[in-house]
Amino acid sequence: MKMQDTPIGYTILEEAQMVAVHPLHVSDADFTKTVLESKSPVLVDFWAEWCGPCRMVAPFVEELARDYAGQAVIAKMDTDANPQTPMKYGVMGIPTLIIFKDGKEAERIVGAVPKAVITKKLDAVLAK
């Protein structure tokens, strides 16, 4: 695969291994396949455009996608455009970040928190 054949937001780490370097945008329609069926842990940032605290965590989520490339999937879900999944997982306020592992919720972070809080929880899930 040549670099120009690489989907936007991905980079080649090794021959035949692609990893996201930006958060993936997931929807209600692809949540099961992208998140629950993932072989890697997945951190999902439930957010909305109008949410000030969501904009505060957005740069951290971008950095995490690069920092954890190849170890975990970092994803974002717009709760306004995709109301079913947040309702199913009891997301009552945003931002809410949920880390899924083996198709199940492993950790939950509610509200705008420092990047260190997110990485500590993500590292703990990866260590299990």
Side-chain angles (χ1 to χ4, degrees), residues 51-89:
C51 170
C54 297
R55 288 193 299 272
M56 291 170 57
V57 249
F60 303 152
V61 174
E62 283 285 335
E63 291 171 15
L64 291 169
R66 288 186 296 276
D67 296 348
Y68 287 88
Q71 300 173 67
V73 175
I74 309 300
K76 295 177 71 78
M77 176 175 273
D78 181 343
T79 58
D80 287 341
N82 302 283
Q84 293 174 338
T85 304
M87 190 180 316
K88 178 178 178 180
Y89 287 95

Side-chain angles (χ1 to χ4, degrees), residues 32-48:
T32 297
K33 182 172 179 22
T34 306
V35 176
L36 301 181
E37 294 176 0
S38 175
K39 294 185 188 318
S40 301
V42 182
L43 180 142
V44 181
D45 174 17
F46 292 90
W47 70 285

Side-chain angles (χ1 to χ4, degrees), residues 6-57:
T6 307
I8 294 173
Y10 286 77
T11 189
I12 304 294
L13 277 188
E14 298 174 5
E15 201 73 37
Q17 180 186 4
M18 290 192 312
V19 229
V21 292
H22 295 288
L24 300 176
H25 291 272
V26 294
S27 66
D28 287 335
D30 62 12
F31 186 83
T32 297
K33 182 172 179 22
T34 306
V35 176
L36 301 181
E37 294 176 0
S38 175
K39 294 185 188 318
S40 301
V42 182
L43 180 142
V44 181
D45 174 17
F46 292 90
W47 70 285
E49 182 96 21
W50 51 264
C51 170
C54 297
R55 288 193 299 272
M56 291 170 57
V57 249

